[in-house]
Amino acid sequence: MRAALPFLLLIFAAPVGAQIWDGGRSAVRERPAAPSATSPVASDLGDINRSIRDGRRRGDLTRAEARELLVQSAIIDRLNRQYRQGGPIALNAPALADRTLALRGQVDAARARPK
């Protein structure tokens, strides 16, 4: 009986050690899908946010610049959602488009600066 106990423990321990490790990728949560772009402003903001993240990764933008640009993008996104829902808003559709275009210009100018 004493000889059987270690043998039983080894039988149950073997499958645990045989699991495949995926390098921790399963612990990383997927980025939530972007809301459906029902307006041109929303799709432009997605492109602008990608450009900001890419600029930060490549070193074209400092952390503070990227944060400031993302805050401006979030403000425009909130105004755009309010406009689409018909809520109280200070800007109309052309003003939102102009503001989005200005933000794109800021991002492009910040990324084009020499390092």
Side-chain angles (χ1 to χ4, degrees), residues 67-81:
R67 187 181 317 124
E68 179 184 331
L69 293 169
L70 286 171
V71 165
Q72 291 179 21
S73 174
I75 290 170
I76 293 172
D77 184 45
R78 183 176 44 90
L79 291 172
N80 183 42
R81 277 187 273 134

Side-chain angles (χ1 to χ4, degrees), residues 16 19 27 30-31 42 64 68 81-82 94 105 112:
V16 174
Q19 294 179 359
E30 292 294 322
R31 184 174 297 235
E68 179 184 331
R81 277 187 273 134
Q82 285 179 353

